[in-house]
Amino acid sequence: MATPQPPVRFTTHRNLVYRLVLATLTGRAVHISQIRPSSASNPGLAPHEISFLRLLEAITNGSQMEISYTGTILVYKPGLITGSAQGSGAVNGVIRHEIPANCSRGVSYFLLPLCLLAPFSKAPVNVLFTGPGVITSSTPTGDMSVDSVRTAILPLFNQFGIFNNIELRVLKRSNPGPNGRGGGGEVQLVFGHQVRLPKTLHLLNPGRIKRIRGVAYATGVAGSNNSRMIETARGVLNQLVPDTYIFSDVSSAPLMSAPEKNNPSAKKKTGLGFGLSLVAESSTGCLFCADLASPPSGGTPPEDIGKQCAYQLLETVSKGGCVPPASAPIMVTLMAMGSEDVGRLQLGREVIADENLIQLARDLTKFGAPGWGIRDASGENENGDVVISVVGRGIGNVGRKIA
């Protein structure tokens, strides 16, 4: 009988989600300690981290989680990724995941790791995010909007041969509520393309920006906010890329239960606000995104949101490479999980110097993935970029026996 491998040990809550994702993909147990031990009011795991653990439990079979009394120590033993198959917490093939009202993270905090796990599932993944804590816009905590996930992240899976039956539906829009917590939105992710191994990636030509697309959204506020954001953003972007189109989406604010002493069935509107999501596409299919939404406290005019978001997009493009910092961890993780071949990806120096990407490289090494080879890019598209070479581990999808 084979001796089980000891758990991989980590400390602090940083990069917690990607560590749990890597543990699930590789089948290695993890022991994470010192999770906010010095916090006097809220030590241990935060509400959004507890919610993510419940999501992991719903899409896997056989996972075991042990949390200490104070919540500062987590032991996670992963199971098989079963997706939305019957018997794994799904009803009629759909997993309903409710996010609590005290969650301050956007729904993309849950969507991005779920998109990493879905291609390696045994069955299709169909998750409906609901509850008072769903925020579909970008958030002050740094989460991107659902629109950027749909238009800038999901198309990247085409590079790995994953492109069939993938859909992200925004059923109810919402912005951060009071104090940046909760929104009452509703989002559904359908990921029906499972593969044995992702294709080896060779992405070395960033190309030139040829078009810009975007979504301006107003939730529970006047639709004229969208027009003002679009006009200001186009004033900045049209000087550089004439092919710029920004879609306007106006929706009503979600009604959430707010019982009162004299009216137990009372409801109130929440998640009011507006925002802008922009995506720039290059001639070689590379995607760069930027997000900005009105703060929960209000007071920011739509013109400022449009101008700042446009400048953020230009800054992201100026960092160089073929992928922005937001999508680089997903690309690198899929490359490491692919077939036992060398994949190459061109990144800007500022992108590869991002602390989250550096921490991901260290975590991959702990899980047994080989180190990266880094060299300066050569050719007409270098612009000071670097090329990283990643050797795939060949883990892939243990639930599928055919390619």
Side-chain angles (χ1 to χ4, degrees):
M1 183 177 179
T3 304
Q5 292 180 306
V8 184
R9 294 184 175 271
F10 296 103
T11 57
T12 78
H13 64 282
R14 297 186 181 277
N15 219 34
L16 176 72
V17 167
Y18 275 98
R19 287 168 176 172
L20 295 175
V21 168
L22 293 177
T24 307
L25 291 175
T26 58
R28 291 287 303 274
V30 291
H31 180 282
I32 305 175
S33 59
Q34 300 180 28
I35 303 175
R36 301 184 184 89
S38 58
S39 176
S41 57
N42 296 304
L45 294 168
H48 55 270
E49 293 165 345
I50 295 289
S51 185
F52 180 72
L53 287 172
R54 289 174 178 164
L55 177 62
L56 272 182
E57 188 178 22
I59 65 168
T60 59
N61 184 21
S63 296
Q64 299 178 17
M65 303 172 191
E66 300 175 8
I67 304 175
S68 67
Y69 180 76
T70 58
T72 56
I73 299 176
L74 167 67
V75 178
Y76 172 62
K77 300 176 182 178
L80 180 66
I81 309 173
T82 55
S84 299
Q86 292 291 337
S88 61
V91 179
N92 297 325
V94 179
I95 295 176
R96 292 180 60 91
H97 183 68
E98 185 167 338
I99 300 178
N102 57 353
C103 180
S104 60
R105 303 299 299 262
V107 72
S108 60
Y109 174 86
F110 305 90
L111 286 173
L112 295 180
L114 185 59
C115 290
L116 268 177
L117 295 172
F120 306 99
S121 173
K122 186 176 182 180
V125 173
N126 190 337
V127 179
L128 176 65
F129 292 92
T130 183
V134 179
I135 304 173
T136 63
S137 70
S138 58
T139 63
T141 52
D143 298 308
M144 64 171 57
S145 69
V146 173
D147 300 285
S148 292
V149 176
R150 177 174 53 84
T151 56
I153 301 297
L154 291 183
L156 297 176
F157 287 83
N158 295 345
Q159 306 277 359
F160 298 92
I162 306 169
F163 49 83
N164 289 332
N165 194 19
I166 301 175
E167 189 176 359
L168 183 57
R169 306 166 185 161
V170 185
L171 306 179
K172 289 182 185 177
R173 286 193 178 274
S174 63
N175 280 56
N179 301 319
R181 296 183 177 181
E186 198 166 299
V187 176
Q188 185 174 12
L189 174 67
V190 179
F191 208 112
H193 192 172
Q194 281 67 46
V195 294
R196 177 67 186 93
L197 284 170
K199 291 183 178 179
T200 304
L201 178 69
H202 298 282
L203 191 57
L204 302 173
N205 185 5
R208 293 181 177 273
I209 302 300
K210 65 176 183 178
R211 68 166 66 97
I212 295 176
R213 297 292 182 263
V215 177
Y217 48 88
T219 307
V221 295
S224 59
N225 291 300
N226 283 353
S227 303
R228 294 161 64 182
M229 285 189 294
I230 292 173
E231 183 179 0
T232 309
R234 286 179 63 93
V236 175
L237 299 173
N238 278 354
Q239 304 176 41
L240 305 169
V241 183
D243 186 6
T244 301
Y245 179 79
I246 303 174
F247 176 75
S248 176
D249 186 359
V250 181
S251 58
S252 58
L255 282 172
M256 301 305 300
S257 177
E260 300 174 355
K261 185 176 181 180
N262 299 327
N263 188 7
S265 60
K267 294 185 177 181
K268 68 174 181 179
K269 290 184 177 181
T270 186
L272 283 73
F274 51 86
L276 182 62
S277 166
L278 295 174
V279 177
E281 182 181 354
S282 74
S283 55
T284 56
C286 300
L287 299 171
F288 305 87
C289 61
D291 257 310
L292 198 63
S294 58
S297 57
T300 303
E303 289 82 4
D304 289 357
I305 297 293
K307 181 181 292 187
Q308 290 178 30
C309 190
Y311 283 132
Q312 278 187 19
L313 181 66
L314 298 180
E315 182 183 5
T316 302
V317 174
S318 69
K319 292 181 179 180
C322 297
V323 293
S327 53
I330 293 179
M331 301 287 281
V332 171
T333 303
L334 286 173
M335 292 170 69
M337 295 297 113
S339 57
E340 298 180 11
D341 196 0
V342 179
R344 295 176 297 167
L345 177 65
Q346 183 166 324
L347 297 174
R349 291 186 181 274
E350 290 188 48
V351 177
I352 199 171
D354 184 76
E355 61 177 350
N356 293 325
L357 194 60
I358 293 174
Q359 186 60 54
L360 178 62
R362 293 170 177 165
D363 293 346
L364 282 169
T365 303
K366 282 199 169 185
F367 281 101
W372 301 349
I374 303 177
R375 62 175 174 83
D376 290 332
S378 59
E380 58 181 8
N381 294 310
E382 53 171 327
N383 297 325
D385 294 346
V386 297
V387 174
I388 66 169
S389 302
V390 181
V391 181
R393 284 202 59 193
I395 295 175
N397 189 347
V398 297
R400 293 181 67 88
K401 301 304 180 185
I402 59 175

